[in-house]
Amino acid sequence: MALRGLVMDFGGVLTDGPDVLDLVRRARAAGCRTALVSDAHVVPDEVAALFDVLVLGPALGVRKPDPEVFRLTADRLGLGVDECVVVDDLAVNVRGARAAGAVVVHHVDPDRTVDEVEVLLGLA
């Protein structure tokens, strides 16, 4: 199945430099659906504008790392969870996304994250 969705965390990922934010812009421009899933209750407007779907705080009634968060977010994107790449900096959240059936990227380094997501989404 083709990967057509990008689900990103905010703190620790999107706050890790302009290259990660630009990755979201490029993915969206290439036709990927984008979602922000964060325990934060608010994010800057310029960040929110990059995403088709925002899932902040307990908006879904469940929170990361519960796999249901990732399934429900994919559904809001109009995609199967197996069509989504989830990027998060916390290993427990990466495990939750993997348990839901998503392809995962454990964010540790911005350059590596950008490289991995580019390959997975065919942006390179």
Side-chain angles (χ1 to χ4, degrees), residues 10 28 34 36 43-54 56:
F10 179 64
R28 199 171 186 198
T34 57
L36 175 66
V43 295
D45 289 343
E46 61 272 12
V47 172
L50 298 174
F51 294 92
D52 298 303
V53 171
L54 295 177
L56 301 179

Side-chain angles (χ1 to χ4, degrees), residues 54-90:
L54 295 177
V55 177
L56 301 179
L60 298 175
V62 290
R63 295 178 89 143
K64 296 186 294 181
D66 190 321
E68 191 64 11
V69 169
F70 303 102
R71 290 185 199 104
L72 291 169
T73 300
D75 187 60
R76 286 188 174 192
L77 287 173
L79 300 172
V81 71
D82 59 338
E83 296 176 277
C84 296
V85 176
V86 174
V87 180
D88 203 294
D89 63 315
L90 297 179

